[in-house]
Amino acid sequence: MRESYIARNADVAARRLGDEVVIFRPDDGELFNLNPQAALVWMAADGRTRLDEIVRSTVWREYDVDLERATADAEALVAELVEAGLMRVAAEPLED
Amino acid sequence: MLYAEVSSKAAALGVPLAVHLDLTYRCNEDCVHCYLEHTGGEFTTLEVRGVLEQLASAGCLFVAVSGGEPFLRRDLFTVLESASALKFGIRLKTNATLIGPAEASRIRQFRPERVDVSLYSLRAAVHDAITRAPGSLERTLRGIRHLREEGVRVALTHVITALNASEYQEVMAFATDIGAKFQFDAMITPKVSGDRSTVRLNVPREALHSLLRDHRLLPMWEEFCKPPEAPDGDFLDGAGCGALQSACYISPVGDVYPCVQWPVLLGNIRRTSFEEIWRGPQAESLRAVRNRDLPQCSRCSHFSVCQRCPGLACMEGDPLGPSSQNCEFAAARTGTHPAILHRSA
């Protein structure tokens, strides 16, 4: 997944709340809260940047974390967001 | 994740997470208990778009579009398109009388969080007497069915007054039948103009006492109605409600208030940006009030279970004082008299 392109689902509502992100899923009214590291991945998910590049340019740069560990965490996060219908993943660039 | 948790974070950061936006004060009903005055102008479509852009920029995630009856605005769907494009969670408040199949289908496309529909009874003689609009029950029920047929989430808002205090069981059963949420409100407030004639429509305290102990209405009534505990330090350090903490109200002409029930004008969005109003000295001053700053309420035996409304207190003449209606409600809830009620009686 780390070489995949990720994009926020256009149907969900989201706002920054401090250094976190709150996401509202209209299908069922569920709210999700992303911690600061997850929020960095979410905000950079423009569909044109690969996940590994996002991790390198955001989480790894801003936090004192191991790159491999940060990438693995981001992969797990993206898998959860895709499962929740909040994000899309593709081998090719996506429309934001 | 619970809304209260997000709302609390928003309040700590000073973010207006939820805004109630009235598009019009015009209404095709004339409800006996309505707190609004049905006068005044309205934003243009372009102005509404500008307001929504400002709200999105300020961090607002939820916008409740209401009125008056919002479907009397011919540009309602244009407004909803703007709200949808700006990624708001949208809640629509309506009497549903103007919702046909086509309107319901368009509403579904905007995927609102839900549509709140006012329903006072399933009997026309009761519902229409409250709306003072003959045939309104039939039109409302039709609109609700169209919404449900489209799969739109609906909440039936059941205001309990002295005129319909025995109707809620049927309305609850109807909500279950059609897969709608049921929510009730048993407090009739004065009009925002200060006219208190509507208050006489409240259910008497004895009847309210019984209502609040009906497990069908409040499954957790024993917890809700338990004797009050002395407020702890955290409670006293907190703010009373979400108004101005993480929410506010904008009128159809751009007047910004802490809440639709709190008539303290903070500014007008046509003349001053929303951000300036939200962060202005008047808003900051009201926002800074903590529970411990309320000289009477902070010493009241019932404060921890009181849902004190600062707007109602303000309308009674003392923004830091008690609201007699909340005192009455606390008395009905607990079955014991708040000390404040004794003092003010």
Side-chain angles (χ1 to χ4, degrees):
Chain A
M1 184 189 287
R2 61 187 60 191
E3 294 177 358
S4 299
Y5 295 85
I6 61 172
R8 298 173 292 266
N9 188 329
D11 291 335
V12 302
R15 293 285 185 272
R16 287 195 69 163
L17 202 52
D19 53 5
E20 301 182 355
V21 164
V22 177
I23 305 168
F24 172 70
R25 185 170 63 189
D27 288 343
D28 59 0
E30 187 76 25
L31 278 172
F32 300 83
N33 188 53
L34 302 184
N35 68 27
Q37 293 191 23
L40 289 173
V41 174
W42 173 268
M43 287 184 290
D46 59 5
R48 299 184 299 273
T49 313
R50 287 182 2 183
L51 178 58
D52 55 357
E53 294 168 11
I54 288 173
V55 173
R56 191 183 296 272
S57 63
T58 59
V59 180
W60 186 62
R61 176 174 291 180
E62 295 196 22
Y63 291 87
D64 182 22
V65 289
D66 173 72
L67 179 59
E68 178 55 33
R69 173 68 183 271
T71 306
D73 286 350
E75 286 181 302
L77 166 73
V78 169
E80 283 185 43
L81 294 174
V82 170
E83 173 76 18
L86 305 176
M87 191 171 263
R88 295 172 294 149
V89 179
E92 302 296 327
L94 291 154
E95 293 283 321
D96 188 11
Chain B
M1 186 183 196
L2 290 174
Y3 177 82
E5 198 178 326
V6 177
S7 182
S8 173
K9 283 186 183 179
L13 293 163
V15 172
L17 187 71
V19 171
H20 176 164
L21 174 63
D22 275 350
L23 294 179
T24 180
Y25 283 153
R26 288 178 289 137
C27 192
N28 56 350
E29 295 183 342
D30 183 23
C31 294
V32 292
H33 60 284
C34 185
Y35 53 84
L36 293 173
E37 298 293 344
H38 301 281
T39 55
E42 291 172 12
F43 279 130
T44 63
T45 311
L46 201 59
E47 283 178 314
V48 178
R49 167 82 194 192
V51 170
L52 291 171
E53 285 172 348
Q54 288 193 54
L55 295 179
S57 169
C60 174
L61 178 58
F62 296 103
V63 63
V65 175
S66 183
E69 173 45 51
F71 277 88
L72 289 176
R73 287 273 307 220
R74 292 185 179 177
D75 60 353
L76 175 62
F77 287 115
T78 307
V79 169
L80 295 178
E81 272 172 25
S82 296
S84 180
L86 290 163
K87 307 287 185 205
F88 284 103
I90 302 167
R91 186 175 296 182
L92 197 53
K93 293 173 180 285
T94 173
N95 58 36
T97 55
L98 300 174
I99 298 177
E103 287 78 14
S105 174
R106 290 200 69 183
I107 290 169
R108 177 180 54 79
Q109 291 165 19
F110 296 114
R111 307 171 80 186
E113 178 193 359
R114 72 171 191 243
V115 178
D116 290 348
V117 182
S118 304
L119 183 64
Y120 305 107
S121 170
L122 293 180
R123 293 190 295 144
V126 178
H127 180 92
D128 294 2
I130 290 177
T131 63
R132 292 189 284 199
S136 59
L137 174 64
E138 188 182 336
R139 292 191 290 274
T140 290
L141 292 178
R142 200 182 305 143
I144 290 169
R145 291 205 168 92
H146 290 316
L147 289 168
R148 291 301 300 138
E149 281 162 13
E150 288 291 339
V152 175
R153 276 193 300 279
V154 169
L156 302 182
T157 302
H158 184 63
V159 176
I160 301 178
T161 74
L163 306 176
N164 67 336
S166 58
E167 306 294 309
Y168 64 91
Q169 293 177 39
E170 286 181 23
V171 176
M172 287 176 77
F174 176 64
T176 302
D177 284 349
I178 63 168
K181 183 180 174 185
F182 172 88
Q183 55 192 10
F184 76 96
D185 183 358
M187 187 181 292
I188 310 300
T189 58
K191 287 180 179 288
V192 288
S193 63
D195 176 355
R196 300 189 64 82
S197 61
T198 48
V199 175
R200 68 182 164 76
L201 294 166
N202 272 297
V203 176
R205 190 198 297 174
E206 296 73 23
L208 183 60
H209 181 275
S210 301
L211 273 178
L212 298 178
R213 283 156 182 78
D214 186 333
H215 67 91
R216 292 162 297 193
L217 202 57
L218 278 171
M220 307 284 284
W221 74 267
E222 285 175 305
E223 175 70 17
F224 187 76
C225 296
K226 71 181 183 184
E229 293 172 2
D232 60 20
D234 285 348
F235 180 85
L236 291 172
D237 287 336
C241 70
L244 270 188
Q245 303 299 323
S246 62
C248 71
Y249 167 71
I250 302 176
S251 83
V253 292
D255 288 334
V256 179
Y257 297 91
C259 166
V260 69
Q261 295 270 326
W262 191 347
V264 173
L265 180 61
L266 302 172
N268 185 285
I269 213 165
R270 280 171 159 160
R271 293 186 286 277
T272 312
S273 75
F274 175 78
E275 194 78 32
E276 285 177 271
I277 296 170
W278 176 257
R279 304 212 176 278
Q282 193 179 7
E284 291 290 2
S285 162
L286 293 171
R287 187 176 292 131
V289 174
R290 302 290 99 177
N291 286 332
R292 69 169 69 254
D293 299 328
L294 307 174
Q296 293 183 69
C297 296
S298 63
R299 296 197 305 272
C300 175
S301 55
H302 285 49
F303 198 23
S304 66
V305 297
C306 178
Q307 294 163 321
R308 178 186 178 275
C309 169
L312 292 179
C314 186
M315 280 196 272
E316 288 188 23
D318 182 0
L320 298 181
S323 142
S324 60
Q325 282 192 263
N326 292 118
C327 297
E328 284 286 342
F329 194 92
R333 174 175 173 173
T334 60
T336 57
H337 287 218
I340 279 181
L341 206 58
H342 286 303
R343 280 204 294 271
S344 58

PDB file of all heavy atoms in Angstrom, chain B residues 258-273:
ATOM      1  N   PRO B 258     -25.430  34.442  20.479  1.00  0.00           N
ATOM      2  CA  PRO B 258     -24.873  33.213  21.068  1.00  0.00           C
ATOM      3  C   PRO B 258     -25.727  31.994  20.742  1.00  0.00           C
ATOM      4  O   PRO B 258     -25.220  30.893  20.538  1.00  0.00           O
ATOM      5  CB  PRO B 258     -24.884  33.498  22.574  1.00  0.00           C
ATOM      6  CG  PRO B 258     -24.894  34.990  22.688  1.00  0.00           C
ATOM      7  CD  PRO B 258     -25.664  35.486  21.503  1.00  0.00           C
ATOM      8  N   CYS B 259     -27.053  32.198  20.698  1.00  0.00           N
ATOM      9  CA  CYS B 259     -27.993  31.093  20.477  1.00  0.00           C
ATOM     10  C   CYS B 259     -29.304  31.731  20.034  1.00  0.00           C
ATOM     11  O   CYS B 259     -29.546  32.920  20.301  1.00  0.00           O
ATOM     12  CB  CYS B 259     -28.172  30.315  21.793  1.00  0.00           C
ATOM     13  SG  CYS B 259     -29.568  29.190  21.827  1.00  0.00           S
ATOM     14  N   VAL B 260     -30.140  30.947  19.387  1.00  0.00           N
ATOM     15  CA  VAL B 260     -31.423  31.488  18.943  1.00  0.00           C
ATOM     16  C   VAL B 260     -32.272  31.933  20.134  1.00  0.00           C
ATOM     17  O   VAL B 260     -33.162  32.768  19.995  1.00  0.00           O
ATOM     18  CB  VAL B 260     -32.171  30.440  18.074  1.00  0.00           C
ATOM     19  CG1 VAL B 260     -32.636  29.254  18.908  1.00  0.00           C
ATOM     20  CG2 VAL B 260     -33.333  31.061  17.323  1.00  0.00           C
ATOM     21  N   GLN B 261     -31.979  31.379  21.318  1.00  0.00           N
ATOM     22  CA  GLN B 261     -32.751  31.721  22.513  1.00  0.00           C
ATOM     23  C   GLN B 261     -32.016  32.713  23.421  1.00  0.00           C
ATOM     24  O   GLN B 261     -32.411  32.889  24.562  1.00  0.00           O
ATOM     25  CB  GLN B 261     -33.038  30.446  23.310  1.00  0.00           C
ATOM     26  CG  GLN B 261     -33.916  29.457  22.599  1.00  0.00           C
ATOM     27  CD  GLN B 261     -35.387  29.676  22.894  1.00  0.00           C
ATOM     28  OE1 GLN B 261     -35.735  30.073  23.976  1.00  0.00           O
ATOM     29  NE2 GLN B 261     -36.250  29.433  21.941  1.00  0.00           N
ATOM     30  N   TRP B 262     -30.954  33.290  22.924  1.00  0.00           N
ATOM     31  CA  TRP B 262     -30.150  34.186  23.769  1.00  0.00           C
ATOM     32  C   TRP B 262     -30.029  35.529  23.029  1.00  0.00           C
ATOM     33  O   TRP B 262     -29.098  35.723  22.257  1.00  0.00           O
ATOM     34  CB  TRP B 262     -28.775  33.561  24.005  1.00  0.00           C
ATOM     35  CG  TRP B 262     -27.932  34.233  25.049  1.00  0.00           C
ATOM     36  CD1 TRP B 262     -28.129  35.444  25.625  1.00  0.00           C
ATOM     37  CD2 TRP B 262     -26.730  33.712  25.621  1.00  0.00           C
ATOM     38  NE1 TRP B 262     -27.140  35.708  26.525  1.00  0.00           N
ATOM     39  CE2 TRP B 262     -26.265  34.666  26.547  1.00  0.00           C
ATOM     40  CE3 TRP B 262     -25.994  32.543  25.431  1.00  0.00           C
ATOM     41  CZ2 TRP B 262     -25.098  34.484  27.273  1.00  0.00           C
ATOM     42  CZ3 TRP B 262     -24.839  32.366  26.160  1.00  0.00           C
ATOM     43  CH2 TRP B 262     -24.393  33.319  27.070  1.00  0.00           C
ATOM     44  N   PRO B 263     -30.963  36.431  23.281  1.00  0.00           N
ATOM     45  CA  PRO B 263     -31.063  37.639  22.450  1.00  0.00           C
ATOM     46  C   PRO B 263     -30.065  38.736  22.805  1.00  0.00           C
ATOM     47  O   PRO B 263     -30.431  39.862  23.135  1.00  0.00           O
ATOM     48  CB  PRO B 263     -32.511  38.091  22.678  1.00  0.00           C
ATOM     49  CG  PRO B 263     -32.831  37.635  24.057  1.00  0.00           C
ATOM     50  CD  PRO B 263     -32.052  36.364  24.281  1.00  0.00           C
ATOM     51  N   VAL B 264     -28.805  38.404  22.729  1.00  0.00           N
ATOM     52  CA  VAL B 264     -27.759  39.417  22.889  1.00  0.00           C
ATOM     53  C   VAL B 264     -27.044  39.529  21.543  1.00  0.00           C
ATOM     54  O   VAL B 264     -26.342  38.602  21.120  1.00  0.00           O
ATOM     55  CB  VAL B 264     -26.750  39.018  23.990  1.00  0.00           C
ATOM     56  CG1 VAL B 264     -25.582  40.000  24.011  1.00  0.00           C
ATOM     57  CG2 VAL B 264     -27.431  38.987  25.347  1.00  0.00           C
ATOM     58  N   LEU B 265     -27.271  40.647  20.877  1.00  0.00           N
ATOM     59  CA  LEU B 265     -26.708  40.816  19.538  1.00  0.00           C
ATOM     60  C   LEU B 265     -25.198  41.039  19.621  1.00  0.00           C
ATOM     61  O   LEU B 265     -24.734  41.969  20.278  1.00  0.00           O
ATOM     62  CB  LEU B 265     -27.385  42.011  18.844  1.00  0.00           C
ATOM     63  CG  LEU B 265     -26.906  42.334  17.440  1.00  0.00           C
ATOM     64  CD1 LEU B 265     -27.148  41.164  16.486  1.00  0.00           C
ATOM     65  CD2 LEU B 265     -27.613  43.593  16.922  1.00  0.00           C
ATOM     66  N   LEU B 266     -24.460  40.185  18.949  1.00  0.00           N
ATOM     67  CA  LEU B 266     -22.995  40.281  18.979  1.00  0.00           C
ATOM     68  C   LEU B 266     -22.453  41.078  17.807  1.00  0.00           C
ATOM     69  O   LEU B 266     -21.336  41.611  17.873  1.00  0.00           O
ATOM     70  CB  LEU B 266     -22.385  38.876  18.952  1.00  0.00           C
ATOM     71  CG  LEU B 266     -22.802  37.941  20.089  1.00  0.00           C
ATOM     72  CD1 LEU B 266     -22.285  36.534  19.842  1.00  0.00           C
ATOM     73  CD2 LEU B 266     -22.285  38.468  21.421  1.00  0.00           C
ATOM     74  N   GLY B 267     -23.207  41.162  16.736  1.00  0.00           N
ATOM     75  CA  GLY B 267     -22.759  41.882  15.554  1.00  0.00           C
ATOM     76  C   GLY B 267     -23.539  41.399  14.354  1.00  0.00           C
ATOM     77  O   GLY B 267     -24.340  40.475  14.450  1.00  0.00           O
ATOM     78  N   ASN B 268     -23.300  42.087  13.232  1.00  0.00           N
ATOM     79  CA  ASN B 268     -23.979  41.680  11.997  1.00  0.00           C
ATOM     80  C   ASN B 268     -22.948  41.323  10.944  1.00  0.00           C
ATOM     81  O   ASN B 268     -22.020  42.089  10.691  1.00  0.00           O
ATOM     82  CB  ASN B 268     -24.900  42.794  11.495  1.00  0.00           C
ATOM     83  CG  ASN B 268     -25.700  42.344  10.289  1.00  0.00           C
ATOM     84  OD1 ASN B 268     -25.184  42.246   9.178  1.00  0.00           O
ATOM     85  ND2 ASN B 268     -26.970  42.020  10.510  1.00  0.00           N
ATOM     86  N   ILE B 269     -23.152  40.188  10.361  1.00  0.00           N
ATOM     87  CA  ILE B 269     -22.176  39.624   9.448  1.00  0.00           C
ATOM     88  C   ILE B 269     -22.136  40.375   8.120  1.00  0.00           C
ATOM     89  O   ILE B 269     -21.204  40.214   7.332  1.00  0.00           O
ATOM     90  CB  ILE B 269     -22.497  38.119   9.264  1.00  0.00           C
ATOM     91  CG1 ILE B 269     -21.237  37.312   9.054  1.00  0.00           C
ATOM     92  CG2 ILE B 269     -23.515  37.879   8.201  1.00  0.00           C
ATOM     93  CD1 ILE B 269     -21.453  35.822   9.226  1.00  0.00           C
ATOM     94  N   ARG B 270     -23.132  41.215   7.876  1.00  0.00           N
ATOM     95  CA  ARG B 270     -23.086  42.061   6.672  1.00  0.00           C
ATOM     96  C   ARG B 270     -22.084  43.203   6.850  1.00  0.00           C
ATOM     97  O   ARG B 270     -21.598  43.762   5.887  1.00  0.00           O
ATOM     98  CB  ARG B 270     -24.470  42.648   6.382  1.00  0.00           C
ATOM     99  CG  ARG B 270     -25.398  41.666   5.679  1.00  0.00           C
ATOM    100  CD  ARG B 270     -26.807  42.204   5.621  1.00  0.00           C
ATOM    101  NE  ARG B 270     -27.584  41.581   4.574  1.00  0.00           N
ATOM    102  CZ  ARG B 270     -28.921  41.580   4.550  1.00  0.00           C
ATOM    103  NH1 ARG B 270     -29.595  42.171   5.503  1.00  0.00           N
ATOM    104  NH2 ARG B 270     -29.560  40.997   3.561  1.00  0.00           N
ATOM    105  N   ARG B 271     -21.828  43.557   8.102  1.00  0.00           N
ATOM    106  CA  ARG B 271     -20.927  44.697   8.369  1.00  0.00           C
ATOM    107  C   ARG B 271     -19.586  44.265   8.947  1.00  0.00           C
ATOM    108  O   ARG B 271     -18.588  44.960   8.793  1.00  0.00           O
ATOM    109  CB  ARG B 271     -21.604  45.671   9.342  1.00  0.00           C
ATOM    110  CG  ARG B 271     -22.813  46.366   8.773  1.00  0.00           C
ATOM    111  CD  ARG B 271     -23.345  47.421   9.718  1.00  0.00           C
ATOM    112  NE  ARG B 271     -24.040  46.844  10.865  1.00  0.00           N
ATOM    113  CZ  ARG B 271     -25.310  46.450  10.840  1.00  0.00           C
ATOM    114  NH1 ARG B 271     -26.020  46.575   9.732  1.00  0.00           N
ATOM    115  NH2 ARG B 271     -25.884  45.948  11.904  1.00  0.00           N
ATOM    116  N   THR B 272     -19.583  43.152   9.642  1.00  0.00           N
ATOM    117  CA  THR B 272     -18.370  42.683  10.319  1.00  0.00           C
ATOM    118  C   THR B 272     -18.188  41.208   9.996  1.00  0.00           C
ATOM    119  O   THR B 272     -19.167  40.474   9.916  1.00  0.00           O
ATOM    120  CB  THR B 272     -18.533  42.843  11.854  1.00  0.00           C
ATOM    121  OG1 THR B 272     -19.022  44.166  12.128  1.00  0.00           O
ATOM    122  CG2 THR B 272     -17.228  42.639  12.581  1.00  0.00           C
ATOM    123  N   SER B 273     -16.958  40.792   9.825  1.00  0.00           N
ATOM    124  CA  SER B 273     -16.748  39.380   9.476  1.00  0.00           C
ATOM    125  C   SER B 273     -17.174  38.484  10.637  1.00  0.00           C
ATOM    126  O   SER B 273     -17.149  38.892  11.804  1.00  0.00           O
ATOM    127  CB  SER B 273     -15.280  39.127   9.141  1.00  0.00           C
ATOM    128  OG  SER B 273     -14.506  39.112  10.321  1.00  0.00           O
TER     129      SER B 273
END
